[in-house]
Amino acid sequence: MAGSVDVAALKRRMGRVGVWNGTLGGESAAFERDAAAEIESLGYGTLWIGEVPSGKEAFTHAAVLLSGTRSLMVATGIASIWSRDAVAAANAANTLAEAYDGRFVLGLGVSHAPLVNTRGHDYGKPVSAMRAYLDGMDQAEYIGPLPEPVPRLLAALRPNMLELAARRAQGAHPYFVTPEHTARAREALGPEPVLAPEQTVLLETDPERARDVARRFTSRYLALPNYVNNLRALGWDDADLTDGGSDALVDAIVVWGEPEKVIERVRAHLDAGADHVCIQPLADTSQQVLEHLRILAESDVIAS
């Protein structure tokens, strides 16, 4: 594994439950700092942010959130290896780690062929590309102060990337997955590495409304081969994977209903071997996301 990161300490600092938030990137820096501070005060251990070609750059975005908090960990979920070279990524991560007392977690991923191709890159062999990128990071020289190495987690779904996450990083951050995948990922990783799956949640009790909202979410990801291939490996077939997903698949990916049902799904991931589950509330606005996080924070699973 890379560096000398204390993995047990990393798990404690990340907490058992965090937040994956895709709406904050569209808000002002002032709003983001206030929102991150509230997420911290609610007891969530880690705030995860994504990176898209039309959005905020991952490392500077993380700095905005870190600057508004005192103990919250901030993780990229993920920073694409195609957005910057390995030396730039290593130096940016080291800068954040030193400036914010080791509260930055670098989630790295190979993204998806359609997004990569639009940037003028050849997606090619993603596992080989990630391996070469990690080599470049490890070989980069950094002359600034660095009290401790930066934790790295890889966006990993299938066995080869999970194996790389176990050997060359501190663990894995699977996205768009089920507790069944979490169990398989834990087996592939072994007992020590961090396993931090994302879980999409929706506080809606009406089945028709819930599945309509959830299917708008799943439709985007079922257009991407990486996620479809992973679901096929878990036993889902064509009937489940078309038209935004069958009801069974939608329910497996997006847990909807009362807060107790959401917490039950979080526990299912933890029981399957997750160390940390980052919940992603589906809502129209950042304010609504925060309201859902306030409701869910009342659970003892979040507070522990």
Side-chain angles (χ1 to χ4, degrees):
M1 297 180 71
S4 57
V5 174
D6 185 333
V7 176
L10 174 62
K11 292 177 181 181
R12 289 193 297 271
R13 294 188 72 182
M14 291 181 67
R16 294 215 301 169
V17 182
V19 173
W20 205 105
N21 194 304
T23 66
L24 280 179
E27 305 290 352
S28 68
F31 181 97
E32 288 200 84
R33 283 190 288 266
D34 289 344
E38 179 170 4
I39 289 168
E40 177 180 74
S41 71
L42 291 171
Y44 297 98
T46 305
L47 175 57
W48 296 77
I49 53 171
E51 181 175 44
V52 295
S54 58
K56 294 179 180 178
E57 191 276 331
F59 292 91
T60 49
H61 191 187
V64 170
L65 299 167
L66 288 162
S67 71
T69 54
R70 296 186 177 183
S71 61
L72 187 72
M73 301 287 279
V74 173
T76 52
I78 50 80
S80 171
I81 66 171
W82 307 100
S83 297
R84 61 199 63 78
D85 68 25
V87 174
N91 290 346
N94 291 339
T95 302
L96 289 174
E98 186 272 326
Y100 294 103
D101 302 317
R103 292 193 289 121
F104 177 67
V105 178
L106 176 58
L108 284 171
V110 294
S111 189
H112 302 273
L115 299 177
V116 171
N117 294 340
T118 61
R119 300 182 73 107
H121 300 292
D122 179 11
Y123 193 68
K125 298 180 178 180
V127 175
S128 296
M130 177 62 79
R131 186 180 297 112
Y133 197 86
L134 295 174
D135 288 342
M137 291 186 70
D138 290 344
Q139 294 164 10
E141 181 181 0
Y142 183 72
I143 60 173
L146 186 63
E148 56 187 285
V150 181
R152 297 192 305 218
L153 302 180
L154 304 188
L157 295 174
R158 305 296 297 279
N160 288 342
M161 194 67 81
L162 286 165
E163 179 187 4
L164 191 64
R167 290 191 298 104
R168 299 293 305 277
Q170 277 66 54
H173 169 50
Y175 185 94
F176 203 73
V177 294
T178 64
E180 290 75 18
H181 181 273
T182 294
R184 293 192 186 192
R186 173 50 70 197
E187 183 177 358
L189 287 170
E192 182 182 358
V194 175
L195 178 55
E198 175 268 349
Q199 175 62 62
T200 309
V201 308
L202 177 60
L203 296 184
E204 171 59 67
T205 58
D206 179 83
E208 185 175 353
R209 287 198 296 267
R211 289 183 178 130
D212 180 62
V213 173
R215 194 165 275 114
R216 292 199 295 270
F217 172 81
T218 57
S219 294
R220 300 200 302 270
Y221 294 102
L222 291 177
L224 297 171
N226 292 4
Y227 294 123
V228 171
N229 292 338
N230 183 57
L231 291 169
R232 288 189 189 281
L234 292 171
W236 301 93
D237 60 24
D238 288 343
D240 296 302
L241 299 169
T242 56
D243 299 324
S246 65
D247 284 354
L249 178 63
V250 168
D251 294 353
I253 294 293
V254 180
V255 57
W256 54 268
E258 298 286 355
E260 292 77 13
K261 190 175 179 182
V262 171
I263 298 306
E264 181 181 339
R265 181 69 64 83
V266 171
R267 286 197 178 100
H269 280 287
L270 295 171
D271 291 344
D275 300 294
H276 172 92
V277 181
C278 38
I279 57 175
Q280 178 178 192
L282 288 185
D284 293 331
T285 68
S286 295
Q287 290 286 10
Q288 290 173 339
V289 169
L290 288 172
E291 179 56 32
H292 293 175
L293 292 175
R294 293 179 194 119
I295 294 169
L296 293 170
E298 297 176 5
S299 164
D300 59 355
V301 173
I302 307 297
S304 63

